[in-house]
Amino acid sequence: MRERWHSRTAFIMAAIGSAVGLGNVWRFPYVAYQSGGGAFLIPYFIALFTAGIPMLILEMGLGQRMQRGAPGAFGAIRPKLELFGWWTVGLSAGIVIYYSTILAWSWVYLWHAVHSGWGDQAESFFINTILQRSSGPAELGTPLWYLVIGMALTWATVFLILRKGVRNVSKVVFITVPLPLILLVVLLIRGLTLPGALDGIRYYLTPDFKMLASPAIWLRAYGQIFFSLSLASGVMIGYGSYLGKRAEITNSALITGLANCGISFFAGFVVFSMLGYLARVQGVPVPEVTASGTGLAFVAFPIAISQLPALNSFFGIIFFVTLLTLGIDSAFALQEAFTTGVRDKWNQSPGKLAFVFVAIAFPISLIFITKGGFYWFDIIDKWICDFGLVAAGLGQCLIVGYLDRVQDFRVYLNEISEVKLGVWWIWALRYVTPAILTVILIVNLINEFKSSYQGYPRWATWIGGWGVLAIFLLLAVILYKISSHTDSIHNKEK
Ligand code: PFF
């Protein structure tokens, strides 16, 4: 008997937990601010309804209909497509291996937050003290011991949560989803009561409608939706596969998509109120203190925290606990996407699979916490997200849009769901999303060939970028071959 979520709420919480991650806090506010402020909400919500939610319905629905993770689900459409499924869950395994780095940093920062260890030199603290960043990707060095502890804590947590499969996840997400939200509210209250907060928020939201004329803004909106909803990584297919046969899909997908985007929008207030305050304290305009990515979480925020008039350690701890609880449910969702695929095929216990996965992934992840590890982290992240996931998303839409009986799929979803899907869903999968993903892919490729990402040496992006994507392809081929072999043995036994 296949494992099941405790309840529909548990499933929706887990889906929201995987979608809501660091991207909501450190990517969305910045992208919005840079892309027309309040006006960005227009392309963003259009992207949500024309691509994000249709694909979320596709993924959750496919997992539920086939009762399999991505490899089995695509294999049920055409046996050879199992290979494609292995590739997508391979990407998710790849993501969790480098995503764990951010969690390792967060554990170490949590430790330093107790005494605001970064002092007034947050940038130097991050780069020189924590990362001890080397001069380039060629100079790797050995893993840094304190980050090894952070990394070990991360994998131990993931193992403990996944050891008992989705039944355990059903319980854990009732903590890891609401807790960071409550903590964000605490940070927001603190942020809004600081001088300069409103200047920050004005920067965040002042609409610049002229920006909407630029195609780049639209592509950015689709890219952000895609990343934010954890699409194309097999996560939502795997989670959907643990739903009962008659479980509701469409409304659950709508709730997940809207909650995720609402949380992103809300996180912008937290981030920009703090940045507004920081700009006021430093006597500079807000654009000078804005930052995205690691710069926001590990430099700008720590500075803002140490500038607070009181309770600095308290807010420091709250901030890093927020990051940890935001990230951990995205991490275990990614690992579960992969192990669900394996379990469908070889019927191993969740505990054993979680253990084997962590035993392999933990040593590999140590690469990212060496002195040169940051560069490799950056390159692999870029390639997996900008090329790997976009290509996987494109493949997924084309497969379901053209090779599966998509009309019947819609009828099926409408039978079991509270919200009925119109034919627009099919158009979204067949035309709108593939067209946009193709353009994104081409633009990303052109940009990369014009100039190397971040000016990294080409050999590094060949190894860390294309090389890593090729390794996943190879891994997919191997798993596919073994799986076909297992099937043929079973057939002979019958
Ligand atoms: N959706 C997560 C975020 O916004 O932080 C990141 C992510 C998780 C992306 C899982 C992709 C993925 F497969």
Side-chain angles (χ1 to χ4, degrees):
M1 201 10 217
R2 194 169 184 79
E3 270 191 281
R4 296 284 174 225
W5 295 104
H6 270 311
S7 61
R8 179 177 174 200
T9 318
F11 164 69
I12 294 178
M13 290 278 249
I16 294 177
S18 90
V20 176
L22 303 161
N24 299 58
V25 173
W26 82 22
R27 203 151 175 270
F28 174 80
Y30 181 78
V31 170
Y33 152 78
Q34 252 195 346
S35 322
F40 182 68
L41 292 175
I42 297 172
Y44 185 69
F45 277 95
I46 291 181
L48 175 68
F49 284 101
T50 56
I53 290 187
M55 282 193 71
L56 207 51
I57 297 171
L58 177 166
E59 296 196 6
M60 291 175 167
L62 191 66
Q64 191 259 20
R65 194 179 95 193
M66 305 299 188
Q67 295 283 301
R68 290 280 174 276
F74 287 108
I77 297 177
R78 295 273 193 289
K80 287 216 161 64
L81 291 175
E82 189 187 321
L83 177 65
F84 174 78
W86 284 116
W87 193 59
T88 57
V89 295
L91 289 179
S92 71
I95 299 177
V96 64
I97 293 176
Y98 75 76
Y99 200 79
S100 59
T101 312
I102 309 168
L103 295 166
W105 298 337
S106 304
W107 283 109
V108 172
Y109 264 80
L110 181 61
W111 168 259
H112 287 289
V114 175
H115 52 276
S116 294
W118 47 83
D120 51 5
Q121 299 288 321
E123 183 155 15
S124 160
F125 182 79
F126 179 52
I127 293 173
N128 302 320
T129 312
I130 300 293
L131 302 183
Q132 300 196 30
R133 206 168 73 188
S134 68
S135 60
E139 197 188 319
L140 209 54
T142 50
L144 298 159
W145 67 268
Y146 42 90
L147 289 174
V148 175
I149 298 177
M151 197 58 109
L153 284 171
T154 304
W155 287 112
T157 315
V158 170
F159 168 71
L160 288 175
I161 294 170
L162 290 184
R163 183 169 65 110
K164 297 233 173 78
V166 288
R167 298 203 73 77
N168 225 10
V169 171
S170 290
K171 290 183 215 142
V172 171
V173 289
F174 279 87
I175 302 168
T176 58
V177 177
L179 183 62
L181 295 183
I182 295 169
L183 298 180
L184 281 174
V185 171
V186 174
L187 290 169
L188 179 69
I189 295 172
R190 176 66 282 208
L192 285 180
T193 49
L194 289 166
L198 291 182
D199 296 342
I201 288 173
R202 205 166 300 128
Y203 263 94
Y204 169 41
L205 288 182
T206 305
D208 179 357
F209 291 101
K210 283 193 302 301
M211 300 273 265
L212 299 188
S214 147
I217 301 292
W218 288 81
L219 292 185
R220 217 177 279 163
Y222 278 89
Q224 174 61 20
I225 281 292
F226 203 70
F227 177 79
S228 191
L229 292 176
S230 309
L231 294 172
S233 53
V235 167
M236 298 297 179
I237 301 181
Y239 272 1
S241 75
Y242 296 111
L243 284 169
K245 287 241 173 63
R246 303 298 300 169
E248 209 286 339
I249 296 291
T250 311
N251 204 11
S252 305
L254 268 170
I255 295 171
T256 307
L258 288 173
N260 175 65
C261 295
I263 294 168
S264 288
F265 184 56
F266 166 72
F269 287 88
V270 181
V271 168
F272 274 87
S273 65
M274 282 281 185
L275 294 180
Y277 168 67
L278 187 58
R280 174 76 61 96
V281 173
Q282 297 187 341
V284 295
V286 180
E288 275 180 39
V289 294
T290 54
S292 77
T294 50
L296 173 75
F298 298 100
V299 178
F301 241 85
I303 302 179
I305 288 167
S306 48
Q307 299 283 349
L308 291 177
L311 296 177
N312 309 56
S313 329
F314 173 73
F315 286 106
I317 292 169
I318 291 215
F319 179 67
F320 288 104
V321 172
T322 309
L323 286 193
L324 284 167
T325 46
L326 278 177
I328 202 76
D329 38 19
S330 301
F332 63 67
L334 286 160
Q335 174 166 329
E336 187 64 20
F338 183 82
T339 47
T340 295
V342 175
R343 194 134 50 96
D344 289 343
K345 214 68 213 197
W346 293 286
N347 203 16
Q348 300 292 330
S349 75
K352 194 163 153 197
L353 280 178
F355 181 79
V356 173
F357 188 97
V358 168
I360 297 173
F362 173 54
I364 303 178
S365 67
L366 297 179
I367 298 173
F368 303 112
I369 52 170
T370 57
K371 292 184 181 181
F374 180 82
Y375 302 107
W376 294 101
F377 163 84
D378 194 27
I379 293 171
I380 292 176
D381 175 53
K382 163 86 184 171
W383 258 259
I384 291 193
C385 292
D386 282 11
F387 300 108
L389 288 182
V390 179
L394 181 61
Q396 195 165 285
C397 286
L398 296 178
I399 290 170
V400 175
Y402 294 95
L403 299 180
D404 191 19
R405 277 197 294 274
V406 69
Q407 309 285 359
D408 296 349
F409 194 5
R410 182 174 76 99
V411 172
Y412 168 79
L413 287 170
N414 283 347
E415 270 168 21
I416 55 177
S417 298
E418 292 159 0
V419 178
K420 306 295 171 214
L421 284 174
V423 281
W424 63 271
W425 181 66
I426 294 175
W427 296 338
L429 296 185
R430 281 195 165 167
Y431 313 111
V432 184
T433 315
I436 292 187
L437 293 177
T438 307
V439 176
I440 294 181
L441 202 58
I442 294 173
V443 170
N444 289 345
L445 277 171
I446 294 176
N447 285 342
E448 179 47 34
F449 283 103
K450 265 201 234 147
S451 65
S452 175
Y453 172 62
Q454 299 281 11
Y456 289 124
R458 290 278 184 194
W459 62 264
T461 56
W462 271 100
I463 297 175
W466 304 119
V468 166
L469 290 183
I471 291 175
F472 287 120
L473 195 56
L474 187 68
L475 180 74
V477 172
I478 294 172
L479 285 165
Y480 172 68
K481 289 277 175 219
I482 303 177
S483 151
S484 316
H485 186 64
T486 316
D487 287 347
S488 64
I489 293 175
H490 278 306
N491 290 342
K492 270 192 205 126
E493 277 169 4
K494 278 185 207 152

